[in-house]
Amino acid sequence: YCVERDQKVCSISFDAAWGADNTQKILDVLADYGVKCTFFVVGNYIDTAPELVLRMVQEGHIVGNHTLHHPDMSAIQDETSFSAELNGLADKYRELTGGEMKKFYRPPQGKFSESNLAMAQKLGYRTIFWSLAYVDWYTDDQPTDEQAFSKLVPRIHPGAVVLLHSTSATNARILDELLAKWEALGYRFASLEELAGEK
């Protein structure tokens, strides 16, 4: 994405592959701030936490495609198998919400091949990576608040696409203060559509 170097704007995304324990709290904080994020969900998440996916949609967040089964997509080289992962998830989303999924796709673990990028584009998807993340996904080995702030606060940058995991208890606990710290640095939070120049 192309933003001016002095344009303090970033977009926050959450990967939601499993476990809904902390998502409720995260959504509460986002609602308090009026911040719109992108939640990249997998099929299991729609099956096990449909009410949270509906809440994401109702509160104006983008629900993005993180595949049906969360495989290593770089190992998939044929279009039929590739499209089954994206279309299968989009079908589940449509069945739940009655609407069409926004065409944003994030490969599980960021694993991809050049042919994957072409296949996603052929299906109408933008492949979305990230420019700021930290190790927050081990549920039984969570970073302390201080470790999280030390990784996330100084590394924010114009045009950042932030990746957090909604399974993280640390993220749920610090999100309020994290948003406040970034705001204090002059940042505002844009939707992925705005950052991608679609709004």
Side-chain angles (χ1 to χ4, degrees), residues 60-110:
H61 302 291
I62 293 170
V63 176
N65 200 318
H66 202 37
T67 72
L68 187 59
H69 299 109
H70 203 263
D72 174 356
M73 295 294 278
S74 68
I76 297 177
Q77 297 301 321
D78 66 287
E79 286 191 21
T80 302
S81 302
F82 185 90
S83 61
E85 281 295 329
L86 272 66
N87 291 339
L89 193 279
D91 289 345
K92 272 187 186 291
Y93 177 88
R94 189 184 306 109
E95 288 165 18
L96 174 65
T97 67
E100 293 300 319
M101 186 167 236
K102 301 272 188 189
K103 296 282 190 170
F104 292 110
Y105 157 61
R106 175 170 285 160
Q109 301 173 65

Side-chain angles (χ1 to χ4, degrees), residues 9-173:
V9 58
C10 64
S11 190
I12 299 171
S13 62
F14 289 89
D15 282 4
W18 68 94
D21 293 350
N22 299 293
T23 310
Q24 198 86 35
K25 171 79 187 298
I26 286 166
L27 285 167
D28 289 345
V29 173
L30 295 173
D32 287 345
Y33 271 82
V35 171
K36 307 303 182 198
C37 292
T38 304
F39 288 88
F40 287 96
V41 305
V42 299
N44 175 64
Y45 198 91
I46 293 179
D47 291 339
T48 57
E51 71 290 346
L52 288 174
V53 176
L54 287 169
R55 183 179 170 190
M56 291 167 191
V57 175
Q58 287 159 359
E59 296 186 358
H61 302 291
I62 293 170
V63 176
N65 200 318
H66 202 37
T67 72
L68 187 59
H69 299 109
H70 203 263
D72 174 356
M73 295 294 278
S74 68
I76 297 177
Q77 297 301 321
D78 66 287
E79 286 191 21
T80 302
S81 302
F82 185 90
S83 61
E85 281 295 329
L86 272 66
N87 291 339
L89 193 279
D91 289 345
K92 272 187 186 291
Y93 177 88
R94 189 184 306 109
E95 288 165 18
L96 174 65
T97 67
E100 293 300 319
M101 186 167 236
K102 301 272 188 189
K103 296 282 190 170
F104 292 110
Y105 157 61
R106 175 170 285 160
Q109 301 173 65
K111 292 182 177 178
F112 73 101
S113 64
E114 279 196 36
S115 65
N116 288 169
L117 298 177
M119 288 188 281
Q121 189 172 28
K122 191 172 177 182
L123 292 170
Y125 281 89
R126 279 178 180 260
T127 301
I128 304 296
F129 295 99
W130 58 90
S131 62
L132 173 54
Y134 78 121
V135 180
D136 62 347
W137 56 85
Y138 295 116
T139 50
D140 55 354
D141 186 18
Q142 281 287 288
T144 65
D145 295 10
E146 293 72 24
Q147 287 169 331
F149 287 135
S150 72
K151 295 283 196 308
L152 294 169
V153 176
R155 292 167 61 206
I156 195 69
H157 53 273
V161 177
V162 181
L163 163 58
L164 302 172
H165 286 81
S166 58
T167 50
S168 165
T170 299
N171 289 342
R173 193 171 57 247

